[in-house]
Amino acid sequence: MSIVRKIKRAVRGEVNAKTAALEVLRRSGAAMARRRERARLRKYKEQAARLRTPFAGMRPDELLVHFRNRSQPFFLPGFSSQRVSGNSQRLMFPRETDRLISTAEQIISEHAWPIMGLGNQSFGHPIDWHRDPLSGAKWPLDYHADIQPIRGDGSDVRVLWELNRLPHFITLARAYAVTGDERLTTEFLQQLSSWRSQNPYGYGANWNCAMEVALRAINLLGAFEVFRHSALLDQQTLSTLLASFDEHGMFIRQNLEFSYIGTSNHYLSDVVGLVWLGIMLPELAAAETWRGFGLREMLREMDKQVLADGADFEASTGYHRFVLELFLYTFILAQANAIEIEERYWDKLRGMLNYVRAYLRADGRAPLIGDSDSGQVFPVRAREANDQAYVLALGAVLFKNASLIPAGLAIPEEVLWIFGEPGVGEYQELRSIETSASSAGFPEGGIYVLRAGDLYLSFNASDAGIGGRGSHGHNDALSLEVSACGVAFIVDPGTCVYTADLKERHLFRSTVYHSTVEIDGMEQNTTDEELPFVIGNEARPRVLVWETGAEFDRVSAEHYGYRRLPHAVRHRRTVTFKKRERWWLVEDEFLGEGNHDFRLTVHFDMGLDVNIVKDYVVRASETISGARLLVMAEPVHKPELIANFISRNYASKSPSVSACWAFKGSVPCKVRWVILPVCPNEHEEERIQEVQSSVR
């Protein structure tokens, strides 16, 4: 594809002529640099790390002693005091420690460990680092820029990349800190050697994306911090590790995912990887340059990517967690090494944490708005995509802010390993201060939360993200999530996969797969099944009303995605939360002209018993607790139940049920419906009668 055609495809949203011209020049320069790199790589052979003076003059044995005994730079405090953390892990988290050791044993004996939503996977003896764990397909060892991520054979490069980020090395390192078992060191070193032999510099899918190289470098740094103290780390292995770190930094710097049109979590990951390498390996000749460039660019990206209300600009709570981790861990690393960061950036980090605290449900889980690929930056332990409370625990310790801690959140293992024992003590003290979340609106991020006690509704008025050029947004304008009585009832179905199945990818981001209204079978924003990371921004939701008080909350917004119909329609949705009566009224107005087909859909979480009662009431029940949620549209519209799927983790899906109210009507028209929670100690009939009399 020509550079001009690529530019045209990339330009979505408002881009001025100067920016477009700069991007054309940048891409032309990048193409020339690739040609030079391709020629150079044909002759490239593994070389020793480029060390700065005086380390370049050290004998191998002297260099080994230096790295074993160095006290600076400082890594994340819990990893730096690994023996103390290992002992505390056993005492504080006995069950989790048993699982940690069991997983590490399985890595050694079976080369098997959990990955994304696929559960435990065996990667073979020896491990084939180019075999896609999802499909079993083999990825070629071509020049990195020639790799085509979308192959149409059921493979998914994102799953391959997850394997090659090497997050399981953190598992081996933590287990070593707990047990001191040198078999874990041996396994780490053997796998690292295997990886390097199968992944020559610049070739294959595992060098295709600088972001992946950066995240792999971060995990390698974490493992190195622990295993550098082992007697099994010899001169040759140290030399290999340093050469690998140098290659990772060199590759990132030469293959930055920058664009004048727009950057995203990819470029941010690139520069954060350079920051970590630059801070933690000052012995490398390029370290100071990487560190200075990386810090400068990271903060510039924070200005661009973090909106004024704290939301990440990609219209995705999954990527908000990921970007928050990039900043959070890097700020902690910088603080540990006395690197100053302006206060306004610390304020932005606070805002990102406050945003998570606001949208987290009462059960401690997050709504999966937009894409989520289950990505984590430095996985002390693997977390499901909607598990985000642990970052709040870290934020609470960092800022000494008890209001960030959700009620009942036990101390996560991350607090110990990121902050060490002092952080554990601070968390326990903060946790004793009781706080609660209240209703909140985020006009920049487009998320509004109407809540009281254990009742929660999130309302989505976000656009496609990245200034209208979103790649991770969904067709979810004016959609809802609802939890009550400790149970998630109405949820966003998630993401499932990216490139393994383009039909599934398209379905999970479609309008009909969200709890909103589809008109005449049209998507809210334009999408193309063949372009899985391109979405239009025609809907452009606009909030008309936001008010919150002791008696009620109300949010009203409309979107314009259906102006493309032959007879244009505006969809306006108003949600009123009756706090004392404990229910929500939803009013859908359709403004415009013509006759249309409407599909109002509500997606229920997996594991619920969903049925229709009294012909027009949909009841979702959680059988263990007895909690129920009733959804009642006006009696003129009868619902039907449809089998669907929920994807809580990338590359997985589970059966669920959706309720759909399909009807024809002339515009303008209006539909009202009620969301009524019935907790175990309440009588359903009485609750229905209360609401019916109130609505009349």
Side-chain angles (χ1 to χ4, degrees):
M1 186 183 293
S2 71
I3 289 175
V4 173
R5 285 179 63 198
K6 287 180 179 179
I7 295 291
K8 286 182 177 179
R9 196 177 89 174
V11 175
R12 307 186 303 281
E14 297 180 4
V15 178
N16 60 42
K18 180 181 178 182
T19 299
L22 286 170
E23 182 62 15
V24 169
L25 289 173
R26 185 199 69 79
R27 294 195 182 202
S28 297
M32 293 176 62
R34 287 274 168 84
R35 286 195 290 272
R36 291 193 299 268
E37 182 189 51
R38 186 193 298 268
R40 188 174 67 251
L41 284 180
R42 291 194 190 105
K43 303 175 183 177
Y44 183 85
K45 294 182 180 179
E46 287 187 10
Q47 57 189 31
R50 300 164 299 166
L51 299 174
R52 70 176 179 85
T53 308
F55 304 102
M58 283 186 176
R59 298 193 312 271
D61 59 322
E62 292 175 327
L63 201 59
L64 180 61
V65 170
H66 163 76
F67 273 98
R68 276 200 181 135
N69 298 328
R70 71 176 189 175
S71 57
Q72 291 182 332
F74 299 104
F75 197 64
L76 301 172
F79 277 79
S80 294
S81 55
Q82 58 189 266
R83 290 183 181 176
V84 175
S85 297
N87 291 333
S88 297
Q89 171 77 33
R90 280 193 182 277
L91 293 172
M92 295 174 57
F93 307 103
R95 291 182 181 177
E96 293 86 347
T97 302
D98 288 344
R99 283 196 293 268
L100 171 66
I101 295 172
S102 175
T103 301
E105 285 286 349
Q106 203 168 30
I107 292 172
I108 293 173
S109 61
E110 302 175 33
H111 282 177
W113 58 89
I115 183 170
M116 305 178 99
L118 299 175
N120 236 37
Q121 295 287 308
S122 179
F123 300 102
H125 289 270
I127 295 171
D128 185 344
W129 299 104
H130 297 282
R131 185 179 66 83
D132 175 5
L134 181 62
S135 66
K138 181 97 169 183
W139 286 79
L141 201 61
D142 298 335
Y143 172 62
H144 68 87
D146 291 341
I147 300 291
Q148 296 300 317
I150 303 175
R151 306 200 306 177
D153 61 356
S155 61
D156 193 326
V157 75
R158 175 62 188 89
V159 184
L160 180 78
W161 284 342
E162 183 67 22
L163 167 65
N164 286 274
R165 287 180 184 182
L166 309 178
H168 65 289
F169 281 5
I170 304 301
T171 301
L172 291 174
R174 289 178 61 222
Y176 179 73
V178 171
T179 65
D181 187 345
E182 292 294 353
R183 293 181 305 137
L184 297 161
T185 311
T186 299
E187 184 66 24
F188 163 67
L189 297 176
Q190 287 178 348
Q191 286 198 26
L192 182 61
S193 175
S194 163
W195 191 92
R196 277 182 59 78
S197 67
Q198 291 185 39
N199 290 275
Y201 178 79
Y203 287 94
N206 298 322
W207 291 101
N208 172 255
C209 174
M211 171 186 182
E212 299 304 317
V213 178
L215 295 172
R216 180 165 59 246
I218 288 172
N219 288 327
L220 279 170
L221 285 168
F224 180 54
E225 175 64 20
V226 173
F227 288 119
R228 69 185 174 96
H229 300 288
S230 170
L232 296 183
L233 182 70
D234 58 21
Q235 298 170 23
Q236 181 58 48
T237 305
L238 175 63
S239 176
T240 300
L241 268 165
L242 293 178
S244 183
F245 283 129
D246 198 28
E247 287 178 346
H248 277 64
M250 180 169 61
F251 183 90
I252 297 165
R253 189 65 183 88
Q254 293 176 359
N255 293 276
L256 292 167
E257 297 165 275
F258 175 81
S259 166
Y260 286 103
I261 292 173
T263 50
S264 68
N265 67 84
H266 275 246
Y267 181 64
L268 177 61
S269 298
D270 299 348
V271 297
V272 163
L274 291 176
V275 173
W276 282 58
L277 287 165
I279 291 176
M280 291 309 303
L281 292 168
E283 296 85 359
L284 295 179
E288 187 174 348
T289 301
W290 294 342
R291 172 179 142 170
F293 173 82
L295 281 168
R296 184 171 65 253
E297 289 299 297
M298 178 187 73
L299 297 178
R300 284 181 181 174
E301 289 304 305
M302 196 174 205
D303 282 331
K304 285 195 287 185
Q305 297 193 29
V306 181
L307 303 174
D309 55 17
D312 175 65
F313 78 156
E314 292 196 68
S316 157
T317 54
Y319 281 93
H320 181 88
R321 178 184 79 168
F322 179 77
V323 169
L324 172 55
E325 284 189 337
L326 284 169
F327 289 126
L328 180 63
Y329 294 147
T330 307
F331 277 42
I332 294 169
L333 186 68
Q335 186 182 68
N337 289 279
I339 297 171
E340 290 190 9
I341 294 175
E342 285 183 55
E343 186 59 32
R344 68 188 184 95
Y345 293 111
W346 289 98
D347 289 340
K348 280 182 171 286
L349 186 60
R350 287 187 189 93
M352 296 188 79
L353 290 160
N354 288 333
Y355 182 53
V356 176
R357 181 67 184 97
Y359 69 58
L360 222 61
R361 303 189 306 241
D363 66 357
R365 297 285 173 144
L368 291 179
I369 297 167
D371 278 346
S372 175
D373 68 353
S374 300
Q376 293 179 257
V377 175
F378 187 72
V380 172
R381 56 167 288 186
R383 297 282 183 177
E384 291 188 323
N386 66 356
D387 184 354
Q388 302 190 11
Y390 66 96
V391 295
L392 294 178
L394 295 170
V397 174
L398 180 63
F399 290 111
K400 298 177 174 50
N401 182 356
S403 67
L404 289 172
I405 301 175
L409 178 64
I411 184 168
E413 290 169 86
E414 286 87 351
V415 171
L416 171 64
W417 288 93
I418 301 301
F419 289 112
E421 282 202 326
V424 171
E426 289 180 20
Y427 182 83
Q428 301 291 24
E429 186 175 334
L430 290 166
R431 191 182 169 210
S432 66
I433 305 170
E434 291 189 11
T435 64
S436 61
S438 57
S439 299
F442 296 87
E444 297 283 334
I447 301 299
Y448 294 79
V449 179
L450 293 68
R451 70 192 308 163
D454 65 353
L455 301 185
Y456 166 102
L457 181 147
S458 69
F459 180 85
N460 186 359
S462 59
D463 66 9
I466 317 183
R469 292 181 294 277
S471 56
H472 290 302
H474 287 186
N475 279 326
D476 52 11
L478 314 189
S479 64
L480 308 174
E481 282 223 8
V482 176
S483 69
C485 315
V487 177
F489 284 103
I490 301 173
V491 299
D492 188 300
T495 298
C496 194
V497 292
Y498 287 158
T499 61
D501 187 328
L502 295 181
K503 288 186 177 180
E504 286 280 83
R505 164 63 169 158
H506 183 67
L507 179 64
F508 272 80
R509 66 174 179 162
S510 68
T511 304
V512 76
Y513 238 58
H514 294 86
S515 296
T516 184
V517 179
E518 179 194 70
I519 303 178
D520 294 344
M522 177 177 277
E523 293 289 349
Q524 294 174 337
N525 298 298
T526 52
T527 55
D528 184 333
E529 190 175 294
E530 299 302 313
L531 300 173
F533 299 106
V534 174
I535 188 169
N537 196 37
E538 293 84 1
R540 296 180 181 270
R542 182 168 71 96
V543 174
L544 307 173
V545 175
W546 166 243
E547 50 188 329
T548 180
E551 298 292 328
F552 72 92
D553 296 336
R554 179 174 291 122
V555 62
S556 181
E558 61 185 22
H559 80 80
Y560 310 102
Y562 299 127
R563 282 181 173 175
R564 295 170 291 137
L565 291 167
H567 296 287
V569 179
R570 271 183 295 145
H571 176 201
R572 178 180 297 167
R573 173 170 280 183
T574 302
V575 180
T576 303
F577 178 26
K578 309 278 190 176
K579 290 185 174 179
R580 295 193 186 279
E581 293 88 349
R582 302 180 68 251
W583 56 275
W584 293 272
L585 172 66
V586 184
E587 299 170 283
D588 284 308
E589 296 177 78
F590 306 101
L591 308 171
E593 59 183 10
N595 295 311
H596 299 275
D597 294 323
F598 301 90
R599 288 179 65 88
L600 189 165
T601 304
V602 173
H603 286 270
F604 293 102
D605 199 7
M606 61 187 182
L608 298 174
D609 182 18
V610 182
N611 53 66
I612 298 173
V613 295
K614 298 187 176 181
D615 292 331
Y616 67 94
V617 177
V618 176
R619 178 203 286 144
S621 305
E622 205 278 321
T623 54
I624 296 175
S625 69
R628 287 148 288 164
L629 190 80
L630 307 180
V631 180
M632 303 179 290
E634 292 175 321
V636 293
H637 307 301
K638 289 190 176 182
E640 63 173 322
L641 301 182
I642 300 170
N644 271 319
F645 292 96
I646 295 289
S647 175
R648 282 190 181 166
N649 289 293
Y650 191 83
S652 71
K653 63 179 185 178
S654 301
S656 67
V657 174
S658 299
C660 176
W661 289 260
F663 57 95
K664 297 179 182 290
S666 60
V667 173
C669 63
K670 182 176 182 178
V671 175
R672 297 195 305 170
W673 46 293
V674 167
I675 302 173
L676 176 64
V678 182
C679 289
N681 60 341
E682 296 178 310
H683 296 286
E684 186 173 301
E685 279 299 324
E686 291 180 5
R687 291 284 284 151
I688 293 174
Q689 290 173 12
E690 290 170 7
V691 171
Q692 287 176 333
S693 61
S694 178
V695 171
R696 291 194 193 100

